[in-house]
Amino acid sequence: MGTIVVLSLVAAAAILAVRSMIKDKKAGKSLQCGGDCSRCRGCH
C-alpha cells in the first residue's frame, strides 16, 4: 500500500513539472537561457 502512495506522489510531481515546462514554453521562456538576454551567449 505504501508503494502505491509513493508512486502516485512521484507521478503527480512529474506531471506538475511537465505541465510547468509546457506553460513556460508557451509563454516564450526557454530552458536554456531563461529569457535574460544580457547573459545570453547567442541561444536565439
Side-chain angles (χ1 to χ4, degrees):
M1 184 67 175
T3 304
I4 294 171
V5 172
V6 171
L7 180 62
S8 64
L9 289 174
V10 170
I15 290 169
L16 289 174
V18 169
R19 196 170 106 188
S20 174
M21 289 168 53
I22 291 170
K23 183 179 175 183
D24 286 347
K25 182 73 172 173
K26 286 183 179 179
K29 295 180 184 176
S30 174
L31 293 175
Q32 287 82 21
C33 74
D36 185 6
C37 292
S38 65
R39 295 176 45 207
C40 187
R41 304 253 189 251
C43 62
H44 295 274

